[in-house]
Amino acid sequence: MARPPILSVALPSDTGRVLSIQSHTVQGYVGNKSAVFPLQLLGFDVDPINSVQFSNHTGYPTFRGQVLNGKQLWDLIEGLEENQLLHYTHLLTGYIGSVSFLDTVLQVVDKLRSVNPDLVYVCDPVLGDEGKLYVPQELISVYQQKVVPVASMLTPNQFEVELLTGLRITSEQDGLTACNTLHSAGPRKVVITSAFIEGRLLLIGSHKKTEEQPPEQFKIEIPKIPAYFTGTGDLTTALLLGWSNKYPDNLETAAELAVSSLQALLKRTVEDYKRSGFDPSTSSLEIRLIQSQDYIRNPAVTCKAVKYGN
C-alpha cells in the first residue's frame, strides 16, 4: 500500500517572523544581504524576497542580474498563501525601483494585514541621498500618498524626508517639524537616520504613542567616520526594526543600540581595510558584517540619545 504524502508544516515563530522585500547581491552586503543576517542574530525568522538579484551592487564598474516584477512578486505571495504561510509579525521594505512594483508591495501590505492586523510595517523609503535621486520621480508621490499612510515605522535620510514632506531640513527644529508632518500622515515612529545639520551628523527620532499626546522626540549625534560605505542604510533600518521590537515603547533605547552597533561595525570595517593595506578614504567599502556579529548581537551603547523638550 502506498504511503500517504508527508505534509510540510511550518512552526509559528516565538520571536517574530519578518518578510523582507529588498534587493540582493551575490557578492557584498546591501539590501537583504545587509538586513537578513542581523535580524536573524537578533532572534527573528526572516523570509527574504529579492526584488533584484545582481552580481554585485551598482557602485562597481559593471553589474549583471535580474529584476523581479510586480507579477512575479505577487506569484510568490500567492504561493505562500496557498500553503497558509502568510502569518508575519513584520514587513520590511527597502529599495524599490518602479511604481508597478511599489503598487504590488502595497497589495502585499493589505494581504498580510488581513492575516495579522497587528503587522508592523517598517519602510525605508529609498529615494536618494545628498540631493541625488536614485529612483524615477513618480515614485515620490506614491510614497507620499499611499505608502507613508500604511507604514508603522519610517526610516528616511535627510534628502528623503525633504522629498516626502516638501520641507527643507537645515536645523534640528526643521527635522522635528518634518517628523510631525509624517506622523500626521500615518506612521507612529519616524527616524531620520542621517541628517547633516550645522556641521554635525545626527539621527533624529520621533515616537507618537497616542493621538492626544505630542511625540517623544530625541537626537543622537553620530561620530563621523572618514570613509564611504555601502549597505549601511539597509543595515540601520534592520537594526531599528530588531531593537524596537525588543523595546516597543522606547524608540530612543532602540536607536541607541542600533547606532552603537553600526558604529562598532563601521570601525571594524575601516580597521580591516587598513590592515589589508587599503586606504579607506579612496573607495567605497563593503561592510564587514560577518566579522562584526558580536557588535550586532550584544552592542555596547556608545552613542546616547538626548531628548527634546515638548
Side-chain angles (χ1 to χ4, degrees):
M1 190 173 78
R3 295 176 63 186
I6 298 172
L7 296 178
S8 295
V9 177
L11 287 175
S13 173
D14 295 330
T15 49
R17 185 179 294 276
V18 181
L19 181 64
S20 181
I21 304 175
Q22 300 197 62
S23 56
H24 171 85
T25 55
V26 175
Q27 198 281 332
Y29 294 97
V30 298
N32 270 332
K33 284 283 290 288
S34 188
V36 172
F37 180 60
L39 285 169
Q40 290 171 331
L41 286 176
L42 294 176
F44 290 87
D45 287 298
V46 188
D47 296 346
I49 292 180
N50 299 325
S51 56
V52 305
Q53 176 165 270
F54 289 161
S55 54
N56 44 268
H57 71 72
T58 56
Y60 284 92
T62 66
F63 65 94
R64 297 191 181 209
Q66 301 82 37
V67 178
L68 195 73
N69 62 38
K71 184 176 181 302
Q72 291 165 329
L73 169 61
W74 194 248
D75 198 39
L76 293 171
I77 297 299
E78 287 188 325
L80 292 168
E81 184 179 31
E82 286 165 3
N83 293 289
Q84 299 181 338
L85 296 172
L86 271 187
H87 194 285
Y88 289 96
T89 58
H90 295 76
L91 171 66
L92 172 61
T93 62
Y95 174 79
I96 293 168
S98 71
V99 169
S100 62
F101 195 88
L102 187 52
D103 282 337
T104 307
V105 167
L106 287 161
Q107 291 177 256
V108 173
V109 176
D110 289 342
K111 176 67 74 176
L112 296 184
R113 284 197 169 138
S114 73
V115 178
N116 176 19
D118 296 325
L119 175 89
V120 174
Y121 174 24
V122 178
C123 172
D124 182 4
V126 180
L127 297 169
D129 198 9
E130 297 179 353
K132 182 182 176 184
L133 204 60
Y134 296 159
V135 298
Q137 182 87 26
E138 56 266 28
L139 259 76
I140 298 170
S141 62
V142 180
Y143 271 105
Q144 288 171 325
Q145 296 164 20
K146 297 181 180 179
V147 180
V148 171
V150 298
S152 312
M153 180 192 291
L154 211 61
T155 63
N157 61 33
Q158 183 174 7
F159 179 57
E160 290 159 349
V161 82
E162 289 178 341
L163 290 173
L164 291 172
T165 63
L167 301 170
R168 190 101 172 87
I169 311 297
T170 59
S171 69
E172 292 177 41
Q173 185 56 53
D174 291 341
L176 298 177
T177 301
C179 288
N180 292 337
T181 300
L182 291 170
H183 284 314
S184 66
R188 294 280 190 186
K189 296 178 181 179
V190 177
V191 179
I192 303 174
T193 54
S194 60
F196 285 99
I197 295 172
E198 297 168 356
R200 294 177 301 152
L201 179 60
L202 301 177
L203 174 147
I204 296 175
S206 186
H207 185 187
K208 190 164 179 60
K209 293 182 176 179
T210 66
E211 286 295 336
E212 299 76 31
Q213 294 175 301
E216 296 178 2
Q217 299 181 311
F218 61 91
K219 65 179 175 181
I220 298 175
E221 187 162 354
I222 304 170
K224 291 181 189 172
I225 296 175
Y228 181 79
F229 308 88
T230 54
T232 53
D234 307 317
L235 175 57
T236 299
T237 298
L239 293 171
L240 285 167
L241 185 162
W243 287 114
S244 64
N245 187 62
K246 189 173 176 65
Y247 298 99
D249 295 320
N250 197 335
L251 184 59
E252 57 201 80
T253 295
E256 286 176 344
L257 288 159
V259 172
S260 298
S261 181
L262 179 67
Q263 284 295 301
L265 178 146
L266 296 182
K267 286 176 184 173
R268 167 66 189 263
T269 298
V270 169
E271 288 166 6
D272 285 359
Y273 270 87
K274 284 181 176 176
R275 212 168 12 246
S276 299
F278 286 91
D279 178 355
S281 64
T282 59
S283 61
S284 170
L285 310 184
E286 296 274 14
I287 56 175
R288 301 285 281 170
L289 191 65
I290 306 304
Q291 296 77 9
S292 303
Q293 56 188 285
D294 289 344
Y295 304 135
I296 295 167
R297 203 186 274 111
N298 296 301
V301 174
T302 56
C303 301
K304 297 290 289 181
V306 176
K307 290 184 181 182
Y308 291 105
N310 291 320

